Amino acid sequence: MDLVSGYKGMVGLVFGNENSSSNEDSYVQRLLDRISTGSLAEDRRSALIELQSVVVESRAAQLAFGAMGFPVLMGVLKDERDDVEMIRGALETIVGALTPLEQSKGKNEVQPALMNTDMLSHEAENISLLLSLLSEEDFYIRYYTLQILTALLMNSPNRLQEAILTIPRGITRLMDMLMDREVIRNEALLLLTYLTREAEEIQKIVVFEGAFEKIFSIIKEEGGSEGGVVVQDCLELLNNLLRNNTSNQILLRETMGFDGLISMLRLRGRAYSFTQQKTINLLSVLGTINLLLVGGSEADAGKDANKLTNKTVLVQKKVLDYLLLLGVENQWAPVAVRCAALRCIGDLIAGHRGNLDALASKVLGENHQVEPALNSILRIILRASSMQEFIAADHIFERFCEGNCDGQSMLASTLIPQPYSMTHASIDEDVNMSFGSMVLHGLTSSETDGDLDTCCRAASVLSYVLKDNMQCKERVLRIELESSSGALGHSEPLMHLMVKYLALASGTKHKESKSNTSGNSYIQPIILKLLVTWLSDCPPAVNYFLDLRPHLSYLLELVSDQSATVSTRGLAAILLGECVIYNKSSESGKDSYAVVDAISQKVGLTSYFLKFDEMKKSFLFSAEKSTAPSHKPLSRSAAASMAEIEDVDEQLSSDHKGEDHPILSSMFDSGFINFVKRLESEIRENIVNIYSLPKTEVAVVPADMEQKTGESDKEYIRRLKSFVEKQCSEIQDLLGRNATLAEDLVKIGGGESSYSDQRATTGSERVQTETLRRDLKEAHQRIEMLKNENTKLESEASMYQNLAGKVESDLKSLSDAYNSLEQANFQLEKEEQSKVDKLSSRLMELGEDVDTLLEGIGDDVGLPEGGEDDDEEDAD
């Protein structure tokens, strides 16, 4: 009664106030009185007809009916089952009360139909009464009842699902409607599609009641993929039963099998005709196959085994042939169908050795115009006008090469340099062109027509061939291509060409790409992805990359280029880091120390590390992207307009000014993103270690401190003096680096108080502060270790002074050198301690425990006069 009272109060607000009575309110009340208390049957039926008419036309009447009409009409349904006309009229009136009228412009205006739905579904007895009416013989009673249940389910799904589960044989009655007359069957089918969404218990009961048999029977009766919207509803119900449900997938596979599903992919007769409904039906079938390839929910322990079995059975049933026909050979199929088929091929072969081999052995075409299926898929990647189709085909090579060393080696073996005329021939000219020739053609296409779009597509494929495969990386590293300049005998390594195209993408405006997208913000990140993959754990590739000094200079510029996208700057920083951590060169100017020094001088370590933080905050590398669903279920609402199917490229190309291109969300999968994040952590640690240590550590080897045979005392003392000077130089260098780190710490943790307060609230600055604080502590420890070594050296030198009496002048010179060093160290200690005191005071202001931070660290280090100014200049 409280709910009814509240509802009446809402009516009062709509009609004026709680005590006032509008015309609609009074009219509805009089009609309900005639229905409930009338003595003449004709008068009651007439009142019911009038009520039905006013409810479907007036929002105010709908609202008034909801406040006081349901008890009256539910009483009619319960007590007057023999009066078919009254039952029909009552049901049709309820349908009208639950049907939304034209939406008004007011956002906060009351929606009577929704409130009526909530009112009716509030009592479980009402649901039970409606379900009982499904047993009536009258067609219209069953039909109107199904419409009411569907309206309730659309607006209050959870409440209706719970109510139906508590009613004996509730779902059984709904399933029986699938065998009823066509109109009722279709209405029951639509009701079941809503009822089984995310309701696992109901899904189990529906399957137990023979849903699979009934679904495929209706699909066959309606004409398969050539059928109408009823086929779409059947497939949506089937997908609801299979989605994330391992047990239902196993039941389908082991009872009816997949034949009925696969048969829908066979294009009969009108293979070149694709209506909108046929397109939607095919997309729904491909969605079903995708669910079988997923295998089940992540929490299901049997998911992986079920997934592999599904893949095996599907290929045994020739599904790969039908997918290749739809996605590759049939160019009359809509883009959306081709893309869905290509994605299914990629998922079908992923992690399945037998299916990988099956795809590798497939040959497409007729008569003499045949070629390997992989080559045909590569042609789609290089030539497709649709960006979505490129992404879907690219997905196949990603899955084919993942963990498939033999497949990668097979593809890499075809990457054989050809004469310039053949490498730059049109792909369309020779159907027998090898996989490697097509890739090399795509990579170098910009040499002739500036087509960087094709270049980046080929680069994406090559990155999969090289991923985690040292043999392939070294093989491709040896590829050199003839120059377009035509100079006889002049060739250029493929890696150097890729760096040139990377620079070309940012430095020139090339003609509009095939996808008709504005800008080329995806080209540089994809080429960078290739280079990052290539240099990963491959020192020879790093050495090749650093062979040309301009490569390093360009990367340093790209990292700092504010016009580049976030991912471009971040991946360039990752590539620079790989030149450090995988650098085994000892050659001056190419070793890891030289790269770190270049980063420090041209970019600055703090700015360099911030590129990683910016990249991790971007959508491409965010947690939101990894948790977002890749493909939404195709329901009636999602498939209502073909614009949602055909205009996918327009959606990709819009609203990405200044941001990372949307297609990168598909190209940068979770595996690559996690790989980059692991690299970033390793790069930080290695660069800080290298920067904090001297370039060449001078080890104190006792044997080297002894006088060598035949060495004069003068030469011996000169060598000891040189050794001491070298150690002193290392200390000075280390102190300079230490001062730079300390200044970075002050810049982040100190500065103006208001600025500090603002920065202290952000997580990245706190992380950076902790990193610099740790680096400072490590530098202090290194200084202390060098001091101890220096002390030992002085002790050794002092012992030998007694043996060098005949060269007192030289010995005095050495003694003066030591005294000078001690004075310098004393001065350094004094000035360095002053800086530490200032820094400690600042850290205490920021709430840090300085004693804990500096515990165990020596405090007798100093800087020479003028050293502070020099260090500040270096840091700048």
Side-chain angles (χ1 to χ4, degrees):
M1 294 300 295
D2 291 340
L3 182 61
V4 174
S5 300
Y7 207 93
K8 289 182 178 179
M10 181 62 70
V11 175
L13 291 175
V14 173
F15 291 150
N17 59 63
E18 202 167 328
N19 298 321
S20 68
S21 177
S22 68
N23 292 333
E24 292 88 348
D25 190 15
S26 302
Y27 186 42
V28 169
Q29 180 68 59
R30 289 196 301 271
L31 293 175
L32 289 171
D33 288 342
R34 289 168 57 189
I35 294 171
S36 60
T37 62
S39 58
L40 298 176
E42 287 301 322
D43 182 60
R44 295 178 67 226
R45 293 191 185 101
S46 176
L48 190 57
I49 292 173
E50 291 182 43
L51 179 62
Q52 173 189 338
S53 176
V54 70
V55 164
V56 298
E57 294 178 354
S58 170
R59 290 165 52 86
Q62 279 189 343
L63 196 59
F65 173 83
M68 47 194 165
F70 282 122
V72 175
L73 294 193
M74 295 308 292
V76 171
L77 297 178
K78 182 178 181 181
D79 300 330
E80 302 184 39
R81 298 288 279 267
D82 295 334
D83 193 333
V84 175
E85 289 189 24
M86 285 295 290
I87 297 295
R88 283 183 183 177
L91 290 171
E92 195 168 2
T93 302
I94 294 175
V95 170
L98 302 181
T99 303
L101 299 180
E102 184 178 353
Q103 295 288 338
S104 62
K105 296 182 179 180
K107 293 183 179 179
N108 299 323
E109 188 168 344
V110 174
Q111 303 298 324
L114 295 179
M115 298 185 69
N116 290 345
T117 299
D118 184 71
M119 185 77 176
L120 181 59
S121 62
H122 188 73
E123 299 294 335
E125 293 180 0
N126 294 341
I127 309 300
S128 179
L129 178 58
L130 289 170
L131 287 174
S132 69
L133 293 174
L134 294 176
S135 302
E136 295 293 323
E137 294 183 0
D138 185 78
F139 168 81
Y140 289 101
I141 291 178
R142 299 197 305 276
Y143 179 68
Y144 292 142
T145 300
L146 287 172
Q147 285 191 317
I148 293 172
L149 291 172
T150 301
L152 293 176
L153 189 59
M154 292 178 66
N155 296 323
S156 301
N158 295 334
R159 186 177 295 173
L160 189 65
Q161 289 170 352
E162 293 171 1
I164 290 179
L165 282 173
T166 61
I167 299 172
R169 300 192 75 250
I171 295 179
T172 303
R173 290 174 183 171
L174 293 176
M175 291 297 296
D176 291 341
M177 297 295 100
L178 291 179
M179 308 307 295
D180 208 315
R181 293 166 61 177
E182 182 176 337
V183 175
I184 291 182
R185 179 203 69 185
N186 295 346
E187 198 68 31
L189 182 61
L190 187 61
L191 173 62
L192 286 168
T193 60
Y194 290 120
L195 192 62
T196 53
R197 289 177 183 172
E198 301 179 1
E200 187 174 351
E201 289 300 319
I202 294 180
Q203 291 172 4
K204 291 179 180 178
I205 299 174
V206 170
V207 170
F208 181 77
E209 293 289 342
F212 291 144
E213 293 82 356
K214 292 181 173 67
I215 288 172
F216 284 107
S217 175
I218 296 173
I219 289 176
K220 184 177 181 181
E221 182 180 338
E222 292 291 321
S225 60
E226 302 283 350
V229 71
V230 175
V231 174
Q232 178 188 346
D233 291 338
C234 285
L235 291 169
E236 184 177 351
L237 175 57
L238 178 63
N239 290 348
N240 288 347
L241 300 177
L242 298 179
R243 186 175 293 108
N244 297 328
N245 197 316
T246 301
S247 60
N248 284 354
Q249 292 184 15
I250 294 174
L251 184 63
L252 174 63
R253 186 178 68 232
E254 296 182 353
T255 54
M256 296 195 63
F258 299 150
D259 293 315
L261 187 65
I262 297 174
S263 66
M264 297 185 67
L265 296 176
R266 297 174 186 154
L267 301 180
R268 305 177 183 87
R270 291 176 288 176
Y272 309 116
S273 174
F274 289 85
T275 63
Q276 175 175 334
Q277 189 59 56
K278 180 178 179 180
T279 298
I280 294 173
N281 291 344
L282 286 172
L283 289 174
S284 298
V285 176
L286 293 169
T288 307
I289 292 176
N290 181 262
L291 293 175
L292 296 173
L293 297 178
V294 172
S297 66
E298 293 294 335
D300 196 330
K303 171 190 173 182
D304 292 337
N306 177 57
K307 177 169 61 176
L308 287 175
T309 304
N310 286 347
K311 291 181 178 182
T312 301
V313 174
L314 284 169
V315 171
Q316 289 173 352
K317 298 293 183 179
K318 308 298 182 184
V319 75
L320 181 58
D321 295 332
Y322 297 121
L323 292 175
L324 287 170
L325 178 61
L326 272 178
V328 181
E329 295 185 279
N330 192 330
Q331 294 304 308
W332 288 272
V335 172
V337 173
R338 297 204 302 268
C339 291
L342 290 169
R343 284 194 296 268
C344 281
I345 293 173
D347 294 335
L348 185 66
I349 64 175
H352 194 292
R353 172 55 58 185
N355 293 359
L356 286 168
D357 295 339
L359 177 61
S361 64
K362 287 291 180 183
V363 177
L364 304 181
E366 297 178 352
N367 301 326
H368 300 292
Q369 299 294 312
V370 296
E371 68 176 348
L374 289 175
N375 288 21
S376 298
I377 296 169
L378 178 60
R379 288 181 190 276
I380 293 175
I381 292 176
L382 299 178
R383 297 189 306 180
S385 59
S386 164
M387 190 61 69
Q388 282 281 32
E389 195 170 4
F390 152 56
I391 294 172
D394 183 84
H395 175 68
I396 295 179
F397 278 100
E398 178 185 10
R399 296 304 188 194
F400 181 82
C401 295
E402 191 172 11
N404 183 14
C405 293
D406 293 339
Q408 289 174 303
S409 299
M410 181 267 292
L411 295 177
S413 67
T414 65
L415 292 165
I416 302 174
Q418 301 290 333
Y420 178 81
S421 58
M422 294 184 62
T423 304
H424 293 80
S426 171
I427 295 180
D428 298 318
E429 290 181 1
D430 186 5
V431 74
N432 295 317
M433 185 180 289
S434 69
F435 171 88
S437 296
M438 284 193 287
V439 171
L440 294 176
H441 175 278
L443 290 172
T444 58
S445 58
S446 61
E447 288 283 302
T448 55
D449 56 10
D451 187 7
L452 288 174
D453 181 76
T454 301
C455 174
C456 92
R457 295 184 183 197
S460 179
V461 174
L462 183 58
S463 69
Y464 303 135
V465 176
L466 301 183
K467 182 182 178 183
D468 299 328
N469 193 314
M470 182 63 70
Q471 181 182 0
C472 291
K473 290 180 181 181
E474 294 183 349
R475 182 188 188 101
V476 177
L477 204 59
R478 295 191 291 269
I479 294 179
E480 295 192 358
L481 300 176
E482 289 186 11
S483 172
S484 59
S485 62
L488 184 63
H490 178 71
S491 59
E492 193 170 2
L494 178 59
M495 174 177 283
H496 294 180
L497 283 173
M498 297 315 301
V499 180
K500 181 170 73 175
Y501 299 149
L502 176 65
L504 186 63
S506 62
T508 63
K509 292 183 179 180
H510 58 283
K511 65 181 180 180
E512 192 172 40
S513 66
K514 296 178 181 178
S515 61
N516 294 325
T517 59
S518 58
N520 59 345
S521 58
Y522 61 91
I523 292 179
Q524 282 189 305
I526 292 178
I527 296 178
L528 283 168
K529 178 185 176 184
L530 167 62
L531 294 173
V532 167
T533 303
W534 200 343
L535 267 62
S536 173
D537 202 22
C538 186
V542 173
N543 191 57
Y544 249 72
F545 181 85
L546 295 175
D547 269 347
L548 295 182
R549 180 69 184 180
H551 290 176
L552 181 59
S553 300
Y554 171 68
L555 270 190
L556 293 169
E557 293 175 4
L558 188 58
V559 167
S560 303
D561 186 0
Q562 294 303 313
S563 65
T565 62
V566 172
S567 65
T568 298
R569 295 195 299 268
L571 290 175
I574 291 291
L575 192 59
L576 272 175
E578 287 183 320
C579 292
V580 175
I581 62 177
Y582 300 124
N583 192 325
K584 305 301 181 184
S585 174
S586 57
E587 184 179 344
S588 177
K590 287 178 58 177
D591 59 11
S592 57
Y593 290 93
V595 177
V596 172
D597 284 341
I599 295 173
S600 174
Q601 295 170 10
K602 301 294 185 180
V603 181
L605 291 187
T606 302
S607 177
Y608 173 73
F609 288 144
L610 284 177
K611 305 307 177 189
F612 297 147
D613 298 330
E614 293 171 358
M615 181 173 63
K616 288 190 294 186
K617 291 178 183 177
S618 67
F619 176 75
L620 279 181
F621 291 81
S622 66
E624 288 79 4
K625 177 203 167 187
S626 61
T627 57
S630 56
H631 302 292
K632 296 181 180 179
L634 187 65
S635 61
R636 270 197 184 192
S637 58
S641 172
M642 282 299 291
E644 296 186 16
I645 299 176
E646 298 293 350
D647 294 344
V648 286
D649 289 326
E650 292 184 10
Q651 297 173 10
L652 285 177
S653 62
S654 63
D655 300 329
H656 67 274
K657 295 180 179 179
E659 299 292 336
D660 294 313
H661 199 286
I663 74 163
L664 295 177
S665 294
S666 301
M667 304 295 292
F668 286 11
D669 63 342
S670 59
F672 178 72
I673 289 173
N674 292 332
F675 161 71
V676 168
K677 289 181 177 179
R678 290 194 301 270
L679 267 180
E680 180 258 340
S681 177
E682 187 176 351
I683 289 169
R684 281 181 185 269
E685 182 177 354
N686 277 266
I687 287 183
V688 168
N689 287 341
I690 291 174
Y691 189 76
S692 301
L693 297 175
K695 181 175 180 180
T696 57
E697 297 185 23
V698 182
V700 181
V701 182
D704 291 344
M705 299 304 300
E706 297 179 0
Q707 190 170 8
K708 298 179 181 179
T709 304
E711 184 180 30
S712 66
D713 292 340
K714 185 176 182 179
E715 292 173 345
Y716 177 48
I717 292 174
R718 187 181 297 114
R719 182 163 61 87
L720 290 179
K721 181 179 179 181
S722 174
F723 187 89
V724 171
E725 290 174 348
K726 198 168 188 178
Q727 285 282 63
C728 185
S729 176
E730 285 191 10
I731 292 175
Q732 295 283 8
D733 180 68
L734 189 56
L735 286 172
R737 294 174 181 269
N738 183 24
T740 301
L741 291 174
E743 288 173 3
D744 284 340
L745 178 59
V746 171
K747 288 177 182 179
I748 291 180
E752 297 182 5
S753 58
S754 60
Y755 184 66
S756 174
D757 292 339
Q758 295 173 0
R759 294 178 61 97
T761 59
T762 62
S764 62
E765 279 79 1
R766 288 197 298 270
V767 172
Q768 193 71 13
T769 300
E770 291 300 324
T771 300
L772 291 172
R773 187 178 293 111
R774 181 193 62 194
D775 298 341
L776 179 60
K777 183 175 180 180
E778 291 176 353
H780 273 298
Q781 292 173 342
R782 177 61 183 166
I783 291 173
E784 187 67 20
M785 182 182 69
L786 287 175
K787 283 177 55 186
N788 293 336
E789 291 179 357
N790 199 31
T791 301
K792 289 177 59 179
L793 179 62
E794 291 177 352
S795 177
E796 297 261 345
S798 178
M799 178 183 65
Y800 285 106
Q801 285 180 357
N802 297 327
L803 302 177
K806 61 181 178 179
V807 283
E808 291 182 359
S809 60
D810 291 337
L811 184 57
K812 186 177 183 300
S813 177
L814 178 60
S815 178
D816 292 339
Y818 284 148
N819 291 335
S820 176
L821 176 60
E822 289 177 355
Q823 291 175 0
N825 281 340
F826 178 78
Q827 183 65 22
L828 286 173
E829 174 194 2
K830 182 178 179 182
E831 296 186 10
E832 182 68 10
Q833 184 59 44
S834 175
K835 294 184 66 178
V836 170
D837 290 341
K838 292 179 181 178
L839 180 58
S840 299
S841 298
R842 184 57 185 155
L843 289 174
M844 289 177 66
E845 292 177 4
L846 294 174
E848 299 291 339
D849 190 344
V850 179
D851 293 334
T852 303
L853 180 65
L854 298 179
E855 184 176 356
I857 300 178
D859 57 357
D860 54 345
V861 182
L863 283 171
E865 292 186 5
E868 183 174 347
D869 295 336
D870 294 340
D871 292 336
E872 290 177 353
E873 292 176 1
D874 292 339
D876 292 337

